[in-house]
Amino acid sequence: MKVKKYIAGNMSEAMKQIRAELGDEAVILNSKVTHKRGFIGLFRKKQFEVIAAVDPESSVSQIKYKEKPLMKQNTGSHIVNVSEKEKLNDDLIQKEILDLKKMVRELSKSTATISLEHYPTFIQSFLIILEKQGLSQNYIQAVANHLLEKWRTSGKEPEQTDVWNWGRDYLESLLAPLYKRVAKSKKYINLVGPTGVGKTTTLAKMAANAVIDKQQKVGFITTDTYRIAAIEQLKTYANLLNVPVEVIYNMDDFHEALDKFNDFDLIFIDTAGRNYREMQYIDELKKVIDFRKEIKTYLTISLTMKEEDIKAILEGFSSIEVDHFIFTKLDETTSYGSMLNIMMDSQKGAAYLTFGQDVPDDIEEASPKMIVNHLFEGKSK
């Protein structure tokens, strides 16, 4: 691993030096503010001392040092973990609780699949699609019961189109209550979620629509100080949209940024992608962002993730109010059942769906009808 110290007049200059020499995958190990002695001890000039590293033989995801965030100021040459043993015990307890919840949830589910031969052929074909899409057996059974009741009370011999419409309408009716409880519009839009789900790109799409379509005054705040490339990506979008960016490192920075953006219409907050199944990262997030403010939090999830991993992440966020989901990478999968399962299990709606990298395109506001439509894309009625 190559480690080097940099000294610059400000953090931006230091980051440029690091990026030029070590590349985008460089990781900040530590930073602190120092003062250069001035004339006869007066007029001291503030400067930044930053230690950065890069491992040429390892991917970014394998570098353990990236777990330490960039710090604006530090009294020593390294960060000291005072209660490491206690914190480890707390983490183990939290993990055991999450594992127990998962076990109980799995035991409560029926492992038996529906016996399709008891249903008319048209109903069977509809249920088969739901099974292939990965919809939970509990919800498939509910759909099956509803369709059979509609079939029995129909005044005529039902056709496939009738069954199709009954089933789609019923699925929409399950999702509709989630959209009646949509919170009022808020000024601060916060995107959280694990690594690699496309939070920054999604945030840029939302901001672009606000700027271009609604002519709103928009600002960016980022807490993602773990990789230089992450900040540069957001700054690139900010330059294209002509909106300001504030990089924050702690709660004081967060409140200062809110003061600077006091007269703005919308503030979009980008957070670092972390393993949010671990409670320590949730705690870190709460030390940087004041969730007591007028903030709407979106949990950003890729549909390429395993459903059980998504549920574990959602359980990790139990101490933070998640308002809605944003499901990304719909173009990278053909299975959408998990999206409905997660929404109905948690009783939270999806605000947006994304399906590509183009900004400001490749994003759509979600609705029950649109979500159900994705289950049947490419299927004829």
Side-chain angles (χ1 to χ4, degrees):
M1 177 178 288
K2 183 178 180 181
V3 182
K4 191 169 181 181
K5 180 169 70 175
Y6 296 86
I7 297 177
N10 54 58
M11 186 58 70
S12 179
E13 291 179 8
M15 290 173 65
K16 287 180 181 178
Q17 293 179 29
I18 296 169
R19 192 163 183 244
E21 186 168 344
L22 300 182
D24 289 343
E25 303 305 328
V27 178
I28 305 301
L29 300 184
N30 189 33
S31 70
K32 64 180 179 180
V33 177
T34 61
H35 292 86
K36 185 177 180 182
R37 181 173 297 179
F39 179 66
I40 62 171
L42 302 176
F43 306 108
R44 294 196 306 162
K45 185 177 181 180
K46 184 171 72 172
Q47 59 186 15
F48 287 77
E49 181 179 300
V50 183
I51 298 176
V54 66
D55 188 347
E57 297 181 358
S58 177
S59 63
V60 177
S61 62
Q62 295 172 322
I63 299 176
K64 295 182 180 179
Y65 288 101
K66 76 169 186 175
E67 301 299 334
K68 293 185 178 181
L70 196 65
M71 302 293 291
K72 288 184 70 177
Q73 191 168 354
N74 189 27
T75 55
S77 59
H78 63 279
I79 300 174
V80 180
N81 191 341
V82 180
S83 56
E84 184 175 353
K85 186 174 181 180
E86 292 181 2
K87 191 172 187 306
L88 180 59
N89 289 336
D90 289 342
D91 290 343
L92 289 174
I93 292 172
Q94 291 290 345
K95 186 177 185 303
E96 289 178 359
I97 292 173
L98 290 177
D99 289 343
L100 183 59
K101 287 182 178 179
K102 181 179 178 181
M103 185 184 301
V104 172
R105 185 175 65 242
E106 290 303 316
L107 289 174
S108 66
K109 290 183 178 179
S110 172
T111 56
T113 57
I114 297 175
S115 180
L116 297 180
E117 63 267 18
H118 299 301
Y119 297 92
T121 303
F122 292 155
I123 294 180
Q124 288 185 34
S125 64
F126 190 87
L127 299 180
I128 287 172
I129 291 176
L130 298 185
E131 283 191 329
K132 289 182 177 179
Q133 284 292 314
L135 194 67
S136 168
Q137 290 295 316
N138 293 336
Y139 299 124
I140 293 178
Q141 184 65 69
V143 173
N145 294 342
H146 176 78
L147 292 180
L148 189 58
E149 180 65 21
K150 294 287 288 186
W151 184 283
R152 289 170 174 170
T153 58
S154 176
K156 62 181 182 65
E157 181 69 21
E159 299 179 358
Q160 183 177 11
T161 302
D162 297 320
V163 173
W164 221 264
N165 289 335
W166 296 339
R168 291 168 69 104
D169 289 346
Y170 181 68
L171 287 170
E172 288 180 30
S173 73
L174 293 178
L175 295 173
L178 308 183
Y179 288 83
K180 292 179 180 178
R181 297 194 293 270
V182 173
K184 67 176 182 178
S185 178
K186 295 182 180 179
K187 179 176 181 178
Y188 306 106
I189 307 299
N190 179 37
L191 268 62
V192 298
T195 304
V197 298
K199 291 189 301 299
T200 303
T201 303
T202 301
L203 181 142
K205 294 174 184 177
M206 296 168 67
N209 287 328
V211 171
I212 298 171
D213 296 339
K214 302 177 182 178
Q215 288 79 51
Q216 291 180 305
K217 191 176 182 182
V218 168
F220 285 152
I221 293 175
T222 180
T223 70
D224 191 356
T225 58
Y226 295 88
R227 285 194 306 125
I228 295 172
I231 297 177
E232 294 303 318
Q233 180 187 12
L234 187 62
K235 285 184 176 179
T236 298
Y237 289 132
N239 290 335
L240 292 172
L241 296 173
N242 194 29
V243 300
V245 181
E246 288 292 324
V247 182
I248 67 170
Y249 305 86
N250 52 47
M251 188 68 75
D252 290 338
D253 289 345
F254 180 72
H255 287 126
E256 288 179 12
L258 297 191
D259 290 340
K260 289 181 180 180
F261 293 144
N262 186 54
D263 62 338
F264 282 56
D265 298 313
L266 283 177
I267 310 302
F268 291 92
I269 305 169
D270 192 21
T271 60
R274 309 304 297 270
N275 180 7
Y276 286 115
R277 288 171 294 185
E278 301 292 338
M279 293 303 299
Q280 66 187 84
Y281 300 123
I282 304 291
D283 293 337
E284 286 181 8
L285 196 62
K286 291 191 287 187
K287 292 177 182 178
V288 180
I289 297 176
D290 187 354
F291 286 92
R292 297 172 301 175
K293 295 292 183 181
E294 193 73 6
I295 292 178
K296 181 180 286 188
T297 298
Y298 296 93
L299 179 55
T300 310
I301 295 295
S302 168
L303 280 189
T304 60
M305 296 175 61
K306 294 180 179 179
E307 186 172 332
E308 288 307 309
D309 290 337
I310 298 174
K311 291 179 179 178
I313 291 169
L314 186 57
E315 286 179 355
F317 274 96
S318 59
S319 61
I320 295 175
E321 179 62 31
V322 171
D323 295 286
H324 307 295
F325 294 109
I326 295 177
F327 291 107
T328 64
K329 302 188 179 183
L330 271 72
D331 57 315
E332 297 182 21
T333 183
T334 57
S335 179
Y336 304 105
S338 62
M339 180 165 55
L340 279 76
N341 295 339
I342 294 296
M343 291 172 61
M344 291 190 285
D345 286 351
S346 64
Q347 287 295 289
K348 296 181 187 295
Y352 296 95
L353 309 176
T354 75
F355 40 86
Q357 295 295 313
D358 289 346
V359 178
D361 302 320
D362 296 345
I363 187 171
E364 57 189 7
E365 291 190 22
S367 67
K369 186 177 186 65
M370 181 182 298
I371 291 168
V372 172
N373 282 344
H374 281 290
L375 283 176
F376 302 94
E377 283 184 341
K379 309 293 183 184
S380 59
K381 292 186 178 181

